[in-house]
Amino acid sequence: MVTFGHSRDACGDDWPLVGRERELAALDAVAAEVLSGRSRVVQLEGAAGVGKSVLLSTWWERNKQFRVLRARCHPLEREFAFGAVRQLFRPLLAAVSETDRARLLEGAAAATLRALDDAAATEPLPEAADVTASTLRGLDALVSRLSRRQPLLLAVDALQWIDQPSLRWLVHFAGRADSHPVLIAVTTRSAEVRRLDPLLAELVRPANCHTLVVEPLDIAGVGQLVRTLWGAEEPDDAFCAAAHAATGGHPLFVRALLHQARRSGVRPTAPFQDRIPTVMLSTLAGEISHRLCQASGEVVELARALAFLGDRKPPELLAAYCGTGRAVVLSAAQDLRSLGLLRADGDLRFTHLVVRDTVLGMLSPEELGAGHARAAQVSCLSGRPDEEVAAHLLAAGPVHGSWVLPVLRRAAGQALHRGAPETAVTYLRSALHQPLDDAERARVLLELGTAASHYDAALAISCVTGALEELTDETARSDALGVLAYSLLLSRGSRTDLSNVDRKIAVLCDRRTADSGAADRELALRMGALRAWMEFERPSATSPAPAPSPGTDDDLADRTAGERQLLAIRAFRALRAGLPAPYIAGLIERASVNLPAFSHDLFPLHYFVAQTLLYLDELDTADQLNRHLTREISGRGMELLVSSLMLYQAGLALRRGHITEALTTAQGAVDQASSTGRLPYALTLDTLRIDALLAQGRTEAADRIAGTHAVAGQAEVAWERPRFLMSLAALRIAQGNPRAGLSLLRECGHHCEAAGTISPAMAPWRSRSVAAHLALGDTASARTLAEQELDLARRCRIPRTLGVALRATGLATSGPRGLDLLAEAVDVLGPTPARLELARALHDFGTALLHRDDKRGARSALHRGLDLAVGCGATVLTARLQERLHLAGGRAGRAAGGAGAGALTAGEERVGTLAAQGYSNKQIAELLVVSLRTVETHLTGAYRKLGIAGRPHLAAAMAAADRSRRGSGTADS
């Protein structure tokens, strides 16, 4: 019978690593890339006991170039917030001097203390700060700082048991650390990898990770182990083959078999090959069970305590679990060590995970639950960390006691403090199984919903809705309504519940408006902000009357969140009403000065600020806000909110005229969204894509997208719908059906009037009707609509909006006045970021000059418009401008031909410039807040247009093209 031997080598400590030359060479190759300054991920995958950890540790011991930080994951620690991260970095920070520790943790890296040290006094974050994002950035900064001192190896054993926050950080860092000499090396059990976990799949996917499958030893490898054990005696090939056949070459089984064979007097020769038994996991488990059955009750109880409580626990804790004294535990530990089940180095831990699995496998489900329940109680009484106690509570099943609920809630709070909302949700779900009165249950549901809103809107809605049924405290109800409204914004399904939420908000708002206290006023302001958002989001879901607005603009300061929310709302309402832009800009500036990070308490402040900046055409400020928010939620797992911000970025790109960038970023928003879910603003996404595709002349692709949305029979009318109708109308007109386009634009106008949207900045349906009316020969209707929009545009005083209206009116007006209007449109649009609109105005102005036989003036305007259209990637407009330029007697320069730096789109030029300066693709993606795919697409386009093979030639090619562009004028015939 095979057994675990009693000597040190039987525990596997002194056995040599054999038969792993291929794996070691592969690790050396990956290390060489890392040492050249590039981060890499490598995975060692194989069955339990096949030698993955030994292989990794042997490799790093002979490669002294790396500083090694190691973590070993454990099944009970899956719910520990940043448990693996703490294993990696705590020993390092504990070993350095106070001066060096302060140096490592200065700046952004100080945020890591929230994850690494519960007792550390960290600087308090602003009320609205995103703890998760700051923690991830802090860990990035710490690792970057360490890797600059010495190349870094982050070794994570048993990745399949890693906690989710640590896994998220590894994925976050691996995706952004291309220029750091950091090797992330992980080991995984083949049969236990959580392949459905998207984060784990992302970390080890082939594009990111080099995977080495650690196979069992071959016969030659078994022969090397035989030689190690028997010394000078040369083993017989038949004996080695028999040993290999009996164990399958599995190193753990080979060592157990050979050690037992030698103790039994077997020699490595052919006559002894028949005495070799077959060894498998069940064989070893049976032997372990047999050994424990022969041991005393104290030994068995200690084995169970170790199996439940985990490795390296204090003898006092083990003694409390066993109900005995410290001396008895140490004596039992010696007996376990003599059986070969504990490490020979003095640590209170099993020789292999197989031992723990076997000990737990001997217990019934009831005994397993009781063991974890006892471990939880003993750990709590012994002052162990709450998350350690909570892990046992989760494994035990229902455990009741007055101490359980506080432990779970504290553990959840610690998880949120560390930036691990999924872990907090797990603890709070378990807390709901405790005997709770209505008030306690409501509080737990609100805490659960708040944590879930970080990443799962549907779960948050369900929990917070339940909490609202029982909450009586009005401040808590206000908090719940804020979380609920935010979650509804990002929910994957229909938001038909808004009317019910509006009623709840109205009741709370009306109840508190009459009170005079500062807290009551702030609550009323906040509820008014939520109702205003709902009025805009779903006009049909709210009452016709506007949300209450305490005070006037002059009475409102910008000191409190409620006041700033109301200022932002008034700015947005003023925008919709077509009031002058300077007045709106003043309100939005007061609302957004020193704008804090996103939080539920501030929702929908950022929302209204972002929308107002977009339509005011303050695109630089809007872009800064979007980057700020994107950084704040980076690595937080909030897929829907990240997708929404990417969609906003795509909208900004399209308003600048960057068509290819807009399409690529919009596709990135689709990819970022959950594969089983739905974007919160899918209609806006498709509206944007239709507009961009039409600019490229891809009407069939635009029509396919439009076909996924029904036009008629909409029970809900949202602000998205009028936008979509305008884009659908443009598609029908481009398809040669101006009557259908006009019908859609009239419907758009009805929706806008019903919602109170007057400003042509938000709904320029009149100017879009002009081309259709002209195509049908109805000049009078075209002129009437154009002049109506021009009057509104002059009042709202937004240059882009005025330029668009001037262009439309100029097209509908004949004679010198029409030409003057088009010239004014060019002048007004010139200083704005509306490059594509300016190109359109130049096309129409040049065409009008051509009709007046002013060919020289026409060529100047058309050349300028052509350069802009090419830079925007507007294929249809480019072709029209080239045709008009030819009629005017001009010819397209190099830029129109699609070669050289002049042909680069704005996105290609920005990406190419950064790449030429030495930035990596990932760094460029971070700087521009676009997806990696967008960067790659722009670089590929730039290489093609510049006629170069790749990045090494980019700087010279762009410099040469720039010199050529500056030195050549526009060619006229």
Side-chain angles (χ1 to χ4, degrees):
M1 180 174 288
V2 178
T3 184
F4 279 74
H6 301 185
S7 65
R8 179 175 173 82
D9 62 1
C11 299
D13 296 340
D14 292 342
W15 287 81
L17 185 72
V18 300
R20 300 301 185 199
E21 290 76 14
R22 177 187 65 85
E23 291 86 349
L24 291 170
L27 287 171
D28 286 340
V30 175
E33 294 184 54
V34 175
L35 292 173
S36 69
R38 305 175 65 187
S39 65
R40 286 291 178 265
V41 180
V42 65
Q43 174 186 210
L44 303 181
E45 181 182 355
V50 81
K52 306 179 292 295
S53 301
V54 173
L55 169 61
L56 184 58
S57 61
T58 300
W59 175 79
W60 84 52
E61 286 171 1
R62 73 180 200 180
N63 286 271
K64 302 300 184 182
Q65 301 101 314
F66 288 91
R67 180 199 293 268
V68 181
L69 306 181
R70 183 174 184 179
R72 183 173 186 82
C73 306
H74 191 278
L76 275 178
E77 297 176 2
R78 283 180 174 176
E79 304 304 334
F80 284 20
F82 291 107
V85 163
R86 281 179 275 164
Q87 287 192 57
L88 288 170
F89 296 106
R90 270 183 173 175
L92 168 74
L93 295 178
V96 299
S97 67
E98 286 297 324
T99 302
D100 199 23
R101 175 186 168 95
R103 193 176 295 120
L104 285 172
L105 295 177
E106 66 183 355
T112 60
L113 288 177
R114 280 188 293 276
L116 301 177
D117 189 353
D118 292 331
T122 58
E123 287 294 323
L125 287 173
E127 180 184 358
D130 182 340
V131 176
T132 306
S134 63
T135 300
L136 297 185
R137 290 196 299 270
L139 289 168
D140 288 351
L142 175 60
V143 172
S144 173
R145 202 162 285 155
L146 287 169
S147 66
R148 286 197 295 268
R149 297 182 175 188
Q150 182 180 355
L152 204 60
L153 169 62
L154 305 179
V156 181
D157 267 332
L159 183 73
Q160 69 275 5
W161 292 328
I162 193 172
D163 63 280
Q164 202 74 358
S166 294
L167 179 58
R168 175 168 290 116
W169 172 69
L170 287 175
V171 173
H172 173 87
F173 181 76
R176 290 163 173 77
D178 191 47
S179 59
H180 298 296
V182 179
L183 173 59
I184 300 173
V186 301
T187 69
T188 57
R189 281 194 190 181
S190 301
E192 296 188 34
V193 175
R194 295 174 287 170
R195 299 193 184 277
L196 296 181
D197 186 324
L199 281 175
L200 192 147
E202 176 66 21
L203 182 65
V204 300
R205 69 186 177 100
N208 291 345
C209 175
H210 181 66
T211 297
L212 297 174
V213 178
V214 183
E215 303 283 1
L217 298 173
D218 57 16
I219 295 177
V222 172
Q224 288 180 268
L225 290 179
V226 173
R227 291 185 185 89
T228 298
L229 193 59
W230 270 274
E233 189 169 3
E234 182 65 23
D236 189 276
D237 290 343
F239 180 88
C240 295
H244 181 271
T247 59
H250 192 292
L252 178 67
F253 302 162
V254 172
R255 292 197 296 268
L257 180 145
L258 294 182
H259 186 85
Q260 177 63 22
R262 190 170 185 271
R263 290 180 66 247
S264 302
V266 171
R267 296 173 57 194
T269 59
F272 285 96
Q273 64 181 346
D274 294 336
R275 293 178 56 182
I276 296 178
T278 297
V279 177
M280 301 181 70
L281 191 58
S282 58
T283 318
L284 292 177
E287 175 61 17
I288 295 167
S289 301
H290 174 74
R291 287 285 174 175
L292 286 174
C293 289
Q294 305 300 314
S296 67
E298 290 83 1
V299 171
V300 173
E301 192 64 21
L302 175 59
R304 291 180 178 177
L306 285 168
F308 282 113
L309 293 170
D311 294 334
R312 296 191 175 97
K313 292 298 184 290
E316 293 77 14
L317 180 63
L318 295 167
Y321 182 94
C322 297
T324 185
R326 186 176 189 276
V328 174
V329 164
L330 294 177
S331 175
Q334 189 58 40
D335 291 341
L336 271 178
R337 196 168 286 114
S338 68
L339 293 173
L341 301 180
L342 282 191
R343 293 275 179 175
D345 55 11
D347 275 350
L348 289 175
R349 60 185 180 124
F350 292 126
T351 55
H352 197 276
L353 286 173
V354 171
V355 181
R356 178 184 183 272
D357 293 344
T358 301
V359 172
L360 295 178
M362 296 166 64
L363 304 176
S364 67
E366 293 77 13
E367 290 173 318
L368 286 171
H372 280 296
R374 178 167 179 76
Q377 187 173 26
V378 166
S379 298
C380 182
L381 292 173
S382 300
R384 302 294 298 177
D386 287 321
E387 65 179 355
E388 191 175 305
V389 180
H392 290 296
L393 289 172
L394 296 179
V399 178
H400 300 307
S402 60
W403 56 276
V404 175
L405 181 61
V407 165
L408 290 171
R409 292 178 72 180
R410 287 197 304 267
Q414 291 166 4
L416 277 180
H417 177 74
R418 293 186 178 123
E422 303 100 328
T423 303
V425 165
T426 301
Y427 293 146
L428 292 168
R429 274 179 160 161
S430 181
L432 287 175
H433 295 295
Q434 295 299 306
L436 306 172
D437 60 31
D438 291 344
E440 285 178 324
R441 181 175 179 81
R443 286 195 297 270
V444 173
L445 278 171
L446 177 55
E447 291 171 11
L448 202 164
T450 302
S453 69
H454 286 69
Y455 68 99
D456 189 335
L459 176 59
I461 292 168
S462 175
C463 294
V464 177
T465 301
L468 279 168
E469 298 300 322
E470 303 295 340
L471 285 171
T472 57
D473 178 76
E474 293 185 351
T475 300
R477 287 181 63 82
S478 169
D479 293 339
L481 287 167
V483 175
L484 183 57
Y486 165 77
S487 301
L488 284 166
L489 170 67
L490 296 181
S491 63
R492 290 173 167 83
S494 172
R495 295 184 286 278
T496 53
D497 289 335
L498 287 179
S499 57
N500 181 44
V501 178
D502 178 62
R503 285 193 294 272
K504 295 178 184 295
I505 292 173
V507 169
L508 188 58
C509 187
D510 294 342
R511 188 184 305 164
R512 307 305 294 176
T513 302
D515 295 331
S516 58
D520 297 320
R521 179 175 180 273
E522 185 69 10
L523 179 60
L525 289 171
R526 184 178 177 194
M527 292 300 97
L530 290 176
R531 292 196 73 194
W533 166 72
M534 296 178 66
E535 176 198 350
F536 173 63
E537 180 67 20
R538 287 287 185 274
S540 59
T542 57
S543 54
S549 302
T552 65
D553 296 345
D554 293 334
D555 295 334
L556 277 176
D558 49 27
R559 292 187 298 269
T560 70
E563 290 171 338
R564 298 172 83 177
Q565 284 178 328
L566 196 56
L567 284 168
I569 291 164
R570 288 182 176 172
F572 187 74
R573 282 181 175 160
L575 176 70
R576 292 175 68 187
L579 296 184
Y583 167 69
I584 301 169
L587 290 176
I588 211 67
E589 183 178 357
R590 291 174 60 197
S592 59
V593 62
N594 295 322
L595 192 67
F598 171 83
S599 78
H600 298 110
D601 291 345
L602 289 173
F603 178 78
L605 173 60
H606 297 82
Y607 179 93
F608 283 117
V609 169
Q611 292 291 334
T612 305
L613 289 172
L614 182 74
Y615 291 114
L616 281 178
D617 221 30
E618 298 288 346
L619 301 189
D620 289 340
T621 306
D623 191 55
Q624 291 172 7
L625 173 62
N626 195 60
R627 291 169 188 262
H628 168 71
L629 292 174
T630 300
R631 285 194 300 270
E632 287 299 323
I633 66 169
S634 175
R636 191 172 169 181
M638 299 176 68
E639 292 87 358
L640 291 176
L641 185 52
V642 170
S643 298
S644 298
L645 291 174
M646 291 180 70
L647 178 56
Y648 186 72
Q649 184 67 30
L652 290 174
L654 188 61
R655 288 183 71 83
R656 292 183 188 277
H658 303 160
I659 294 169
T660 303
E661 181 179 340
L663 277 173
T664 308
T665 307
Q667 185 59 48
V670 175
D671 297 340
Q672 183 71 31
S674 169
S675 59
T676 59
R678 174 184 175 274
L679 281 169
Y681 292 125
L683 194 61
T684 296
L685 170 71
D686 288 341
T687 299
L688 186 154
R689 294 164 77 191
I690 289 170
D691 287 344
L693 289 168
L694 289 178
Q696 293 182 339
R698 299 163 61 185
T699 54
E700 291 184 5
D703 195 44
R704 285 195 297 271
I705 293 173
T708 63
H709 299 280
V711 178
Q714 291 294 314
E716 298 181 327
V717 177
W719 60 267
E720 295 177 281
R721 199 74 196 165
R723 289 182 181 176
F724 177 72
L725 291 172
M726 285 191 293
S727 296
L728 187 59
L731 172 60
R732 297 294 176 248
I733 294 169
Q735 291 172 327
N737 192 349
R739 292 190 186 279
L742 275 176
S743 177
L744 291 165
L745 288 167
R746 289 192 195 101
E747 184 183 350
C748 170
H750 292 324
H751 287 322
C752 291
E753 289 173 6
T757 301
I758 299 172
S759 172
M762 297 185 68
W765 64 272
R766 296 175 182 86
S767 59
R768 295 202 180 192
S769 301
V770 168
H773 277 299
L774 292 176
L776 294 170
D778 188 357
T779 306
S781 295
R783 187 181 304 115
T784 298
L785 287 171
E787 288 178 349
Q788 287 176 358
E789 183 158 312
L790 180 57
D791 181 58
L792 291 169
R794 290 195 187 280
R795 279 191 276 163
C796 75
R797 295 162 60 183
I798 299 173
R800 176 197 293 264
T801 304
L802 179 57
V804 169
L806 284 165
R807 171 178 166 256
T809 311
L811 286 173
T813 305
S814 59
R817 182 171 181 269
L819 186 64
D820 289 344
L821 289 168
L822 290 172
E824 186 182 355
V826 171
D827 290 341
V828 169
L829 288 169
T832 73
R835 302 289 87 191
L836 185 56
E837 295 297 345
L838 176 58
R840 288 168 175 157
L842 285 163
H843 169 272
D844 295 337
F845 180 53
T847 301
L849 289 171
L850 184 59
H851 288 161
R852 291 173 61 87
D853 204 31
D854 183 357
K855 291 187 177 181
R856 183 177 184 84
R859 287 197 298 269
S860 175
L862 294 171
H863 265 301
R864 184 181 170 198
L866 182 58
D867 285 343
L868 288 169
V870 169
C872 291
T875 310
V876 173
L877 184 58
T878 296
R880 290 174 181 167
L881 282 159
Q882 287 175 326
E883 180 183 353
R884 297 291 187 275
L885 187 58
H886 176 73
L887 293 174
R891 62 183 176 84
R894 184 178 183 186
L904 299 183
T905 67
E908 289 168 346
E909 188 167 359
R910 286 198 303 273
V911 170
T913 299
L914 290 171
Q917 293 172 0
Y919 288 93
S920 70
N921 288 7
K922 290 179 181 177
Q923 290 172 323
I924 295 171
E926 287 186 350
L927 286 169
L928 299 181
V929 196
V930 297
S931 68
L932 192 58
R933 181 185 296 180
T934 300
V935 174
E936 293 165 349
T937 299
H938 286 333
L939 279 179
T940 300
Y943 297 157
R944 175 176 53 79
K945 292 175 181 179
L946 293 170
I948 59 176
R951 188 184 287 258
H953 313 288
L954 184 60
M958 290 192 71
D962 186 54
R963 288 193 298 270
S964 173
R965 183 173 52 198
R966 290 197 306 268
S968 61
T970 303
D972 285 343
S973 59

